Amino acid sequence: MNKSITSPSADSDGVYRKITRRLIPFLILCYFFAYLDRVNIGFAKLHMQDALNFSDTVYGLGAGIFFIGYFLFELPSNLMMQRFGARVWIARIMISWAVLSASMIFVTSSTQFYVLRFLLGVAEAGFFPGIVFYLTLWFPSWRSARTLGLFILVTPLSTIIGSPLSGAILKFFENVEGLHNWQWLFVVEAVPSFLLAFVVLRFMDNSVAEAKWLTAAEKQVVFDDLATDARRQLIASAGKPQQNLRAMLSNRYVWLLALIFFSFNIGYYGINFWLPSIIKSSGVTDDLKIGFLAALPYVFGAAFMVWNSRHSDLKRERRWHIAIPAIIGAVGLSLSAYCSGSTVWMMAWICLAMSGTLALIPTYISLPGTLLSGTAAAAGIALVNSVGNLAGFFGPVVLGWLKDNTGTTSTGLYILAGFLLLCAPLIFLLPARLINPSLQAAAIAPVASGNEPISRRGSL
């Protein structure tokens, strides 16, 4: 019997709590080190830039070129994961990025810097969208924002924990065994990813059917919910791509989702890669203090992220839970630029900016899986994420170039805030009935009861 999407039973809740306890903490741990290896370049810059005589433009280009490799190889990587299975492919990704991240210690020129950052993007491509798609094999869409919220909580957590850790490495590891502190930063933070890859090979199951830790009855609960979800997706939109990559590429909503993600990421990654330097320019010189201050905005962001994703699921609404945080983030980012001369006020507004910026992520990330299914879902999630992540190239590059030419990051921050603000009107171009679980549930109810034929539904 199919479970109701409006009134899940206690047994159903228990099954998903069990799956959450099994999968989410481990996936959070893996993504923690993936994200740390991606963004620790922001802390390395505090000493690496002077040691290698890099300009801010060189740093911005090196930080951002990661996302060019990410963009080019993310879609193929996600399709390869479908072929080889999540367990093998995720382990492969983790080993690759660990080796390349540790190899940053050998960089002596800007060219080597660019090449290794590009290859790191190639290696990591597919990890995040692969995990997002992997979770759609275990959770129906009406539980997705909450589940993704728990997983994506690693984004602020990696900075909350990783920033003081990075600051401590920089402060205490200079000239240990003849290596500079920034070189130790890359080595120390790459080792856990390498070791965890072998745990992935033993711990992860490719699907519900392979999960020996679920009983047959528990598996059936998930199978029934996923079947209901697939039926709901079938009747929600007649134009929705079903197992069809060409239709996915021609779907205007896929490209709209990519544009929204692009606008968001320009603001997010711009501040993410430059925050340690912005704090230092405000007058803070101690590496450990910079580490703790850089963690503070993500504490507020994590709290607001959890609240917003839960409230989105509770109200079964998506668009306003993306638009309002985007506006808050843009306002906070603009005010942080205006108050850049004061560490206290700059940090206060950065905290507001991160609260809004991070809060919209899990709610937004649930949308591609709602609009797409099957192979189209795997490809669509990867496409949206890869195109959106191209902003990770432009954000740091724009800030670096403007910093070299104006002597301040304020102008760049205003530009990034403008892109973040753009997310608010763009999200309302997506029809509410296609993405709001409340409207989807109301639409499927008569069909589920047999009172309305599927053929009457689905027109846009």
Side-chain angles (χ1 to χ4, degrees):
M1 180 181 298
N2 289 331
K3 306 293 180 182
S4 167
I5 65 175
T6 56
S7 301
S9 68
D11 290 339
S12 178
D13 288 339
V15 170
Y16 289 110
R17 281 195 297 269
K18 184 175 182 179
I19 294 173
T20 298
R21 287 194 300 268
R22 168 80 179 195
L23 297 182
I24 300 302
F26 179 70
L27 294 178
I28 283 177
L29 184 64
C30 292
Y31 190 51
F32 170 86
F33 289 107
Y35 195 79
L36 199 60
D37 287 342
R38 178 192 301 188
V39 302
N40 58 10
I41 192 69
F43 274 91
K45 174 185 181 293
L46 297 177
H47 297 273
M48 180 185 188
Q49 184 174 8
D50 291 337
L52 301 180
N53 196 29
F54 287 169
S55 68
D56 286 314
T57 302
V58 168
Y59 165 74
L61 181 57
I65 205 170
F66 168 96
F67 294 97
I68 301 298
Y70 201 100
F71 167 76
L72 293 174
F73 287 88
E74 186 167 5
L75 179 55
S77 180
N78 229 33
L79 295 176
M80 293 295 282
M81 191 187 81
Q82 278 204 310
R83 178 177 179 180
F84 292 103
R87 180 173 58 249
V88 170
W89 200 247
I90 293 299
R92 192 284 304 165
I93 290 174
M94 295 181 70
I95 290 174
S96 300
W97 91 52
V99 171
L100 287 165
S101 183
S103 297
M104 289 291 292
I105 68 172
F106 302 113
V107 168
T108 59
S109 69
S110 59
T111 300
Q112 293 171 345
F113 182 43
Y114 299 151
V115 169
L116 274 178
R117 287 290 295 178
F118 175 82
L119 291 177
L120 185 62
V122 171
E124 193 181 320
F127 179 79
F128 177 76
I131 292 298
V132 171
F133 175 69
Y134 179 70
L135 291 176
T136 68
L137 305 179
W138 297 81
F139 295 93
S141 64
W142 59 89
R143 296 179 180 269
S144 60
R146 188 183 317 170
T147 304
L148 288 169
L150 288 173
F151 172 59
I152 299 169
L153 187 62
V154 73
T155 300
L157 284 179
S158 64
T159 307
I160 292 170
I161 299 171
S163 293
L165 173 63
S166 297
I169 293 172
L170 292 178
K171 185 177 179 67
F172 299 114
F173 275 66
E174 177 63 23
N175 289 325
V176 174
E177 298 296 328
L179 294 178
H180 292 298
N181 51 7
W182 60 268
Q183 293 174 309
W184 276 111
L185 182 66
F186 290 118
V187 172
V188 171
E189 295 181 352
V191 170
S193 297
F194 185 83
L195 297 178
L196 276 172
F198 297 96
V199 181
V200 167
L201 291 172
R202 295 291 301 273
F203 187 82
M204 284 185 68
D205 298 294
N206 287 322
S207 65
V208 175
E210 294 183 10
K212 296 180 180 179
W213 43 276
L214 289 176
T215 66
E218 290 170 337
K219 291 179 182 179
Q220 193 60 49
V221 168
V222 182
F223 291 149
D224 288 345
D225 280 350
L226 293 178
T228 297
D229 210 20
R231 184 158 58 109
R232 186 223 68 206
Q233 291 174 346
L234 178 64
I235 67 176
S237 171
K240 179 181 173 181
Q242 296 285 338
Q243 307 288 344
N244 189 322
L245 294 180
R246 179 176 297 179
M248 181 273 295
L249 290 171
S250 64
N251 189 309
R252 64 186 183 277
Y253 295 133
V254 171
W255 294 103
L256 179 58
L257 285 171
L259 178 59
I260 294 169
F261 202 32
F262 182 90
S263 299
F264 157 76
N265 271 341
I266 279 191
Y268 174 68
Y269 279 118
I271 189 64
N272 192 278
F273 282 117
W274 282 87
L275 184 55
S277 297
I278 292 172
I279 295 173
K280 186 174 182 178
S281 67
S282 72
V284 182
T285 57
D286 183 85
D287 290 327
L288 191 56
K289 289 181 180 178
I290 292 174
F292 279 108
L293 285 174
L296 189 60
Y298 294 87
V299 175
F300 290 92
F304 197 18
M305 174 188 286
V306 172
W307 180 87
N308 193 60
S309 62
R310 289 181 178 274
H311 194 262
S312 177
D313 275 355
L314 178 65
K315 297 297 182 180
R316 298 186 180 274
E317 196 285 328
R318 298 296 187 236
R319 298 191 301 178
W320 284 106
H321 286 82
I322 293 172
I324 292 176
I327 294 170
I328 292 173
V331 170
L333 201 56
S334 297
L335 290 174
S336 70
Y338 182 76
C339 299
S340 59
S342 167
T343 301
V344 174
W345 281 107
M346 182 272 295
M347 288 301 305
W349 295 122
I350 286 289
C351 288
L352 180 68
M354 275 298 170
S355 295
T357 303
L358 290 173
L360 66 85
I361 299 178
T363 304
Y364 167 81
I365 290 297
S366 70
L367 300 186
T370 301
L371 292 171
L372 303 166
S373 64
T375 300
I381 291 169
L383 178 66
V384 168
N385 198 59
S386 60
V387 172
N389 270 320
L390 278 178
F393 172 77
F394 291 103
V397 170
V398 166
L399 270 178
W401 184 82
L402 287 172
K403 176 81 163 39
D404 274 338
N405 286 274
T406 67
T408 177
T409 57
S410 296
T411 303
L413 291 178
Y414 287 127
I415 294 174
L416 302 186
F419 276 100
L420 187 56
L421 184 63
L422 185 61
C423 294
L426 288 177
I427 193 63
F428 286 98
L429 296 179
L430 289 171
R433 68 179 180 274
L434 293 183
I435 62 175
N436 281 354
S438 60
L439 299 179
Q440 294 170 342
I444 194 175
V447 180
S449 63
N451 295 328
E452 180 183 6
I454 290 178
S455 61
R456 293 180 59 190
R457 296 289 328 286
S459 60
L460 292 178

